[in-house]
């Protein structure tokens, strides 16, 4: 794989040294990734809730325990965490983060 000197410099220069344009592009990519993950979580939750309401054994468990847990897995970021908390609160639920921050 051949890279030009300009490409090598861009790849191996820290983002902060590349200027504000590079920082803006990085933030934009991160926000887009968070939006994509959030959409995936919303779809998962929707299917999970439909499944819980459609299956008598899961509906009975909900009535017995008063709550159910739905696990989702995603790479942690401050923005995603905030948006997931807002999403859960919108459903009257709470977000419990478990695991390692990487």
């Amino acid at each position: 794989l051949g890279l030009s000197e300009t490409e090598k410099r861009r790849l191996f220069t820290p983002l902060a040294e590349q200027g504000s344009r590079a920082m803006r592009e990085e933030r934009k990519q991160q926000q887009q990734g968070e939006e994509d993950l959030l959409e995936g979580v919303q779809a998962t939750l929707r299917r999970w809730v439909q499944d819980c309401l459609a299956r008598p054994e899961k509906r009975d468990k909900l009535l017995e325990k008063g709550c159910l847990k739905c696990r989702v897995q995603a790479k942690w970021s401050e923005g995603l965490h905030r948006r997931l908390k807002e999403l859960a609160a919108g459903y009257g639920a709470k977000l419990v983060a478990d695991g390692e921050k990487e």
Side-chain angles (χ1 to χ4, degrees):
L1 180 68
L3 294 175
S4 70
E5 286 301 314
T6 305
E7 290 171 320
K8 285 181 186 177
R9 205 173 317 113
R10 188 177 52 84
L11 285 173
F12 296 107
T13 302
L15 208 53
E17 292 177 18
Q18 291 182 31
S20 61
R21 181 173 173 235
M23 295 290 284
R24 279 193 307 274
E25 288 177 17
E26 181 65 24
R27 275 193 294 275
K28 184 179 176 182
Q29 286 181 345
Q30 183 177 5
Q31 287 174 346
Q32 183 60 48
E34 289 174 359
E35 287 176 22
D36 293 345
L37 283 170
L38 191 63
E39 286 176 15
V41 168
Q42 285 177 317
T44 298
L45 283 174
R46 197 173 301 116
R47 282 190 308 271
W48 178 78
V49 167
Q50 289 171 344
D51 186 48
C52 286
L53 295 176
R55 293 185 176 190
E57 67 273 5
K58 288 193 176 188
R59 196 172 43 247
D60 293 343
K61 184 178 177 182
L62 172 60
L63 291 172
E64 176 187 321
K65 294 197 175 209
C67 71
L68 294 174
K69 296 178 184 178
C70 177
R71 287 188 175 271
V72 293
Q73 186 173 352
K75 184 175 179 182
W76 191 91
S77 74
E78 193 70 45
L80 181 61
H81 183 76
R82 178 183 43 78
R83 293 174 79 174
L84 285 173
K85 281 178 72 171
E86 291 169 359
L87 175 66
Y91 289 114
K94 66 178 181 177
L95 175 69
V96 178
D98 187 14
E100 303 266 333
K101 292 181 186 176
E102 294 179 1

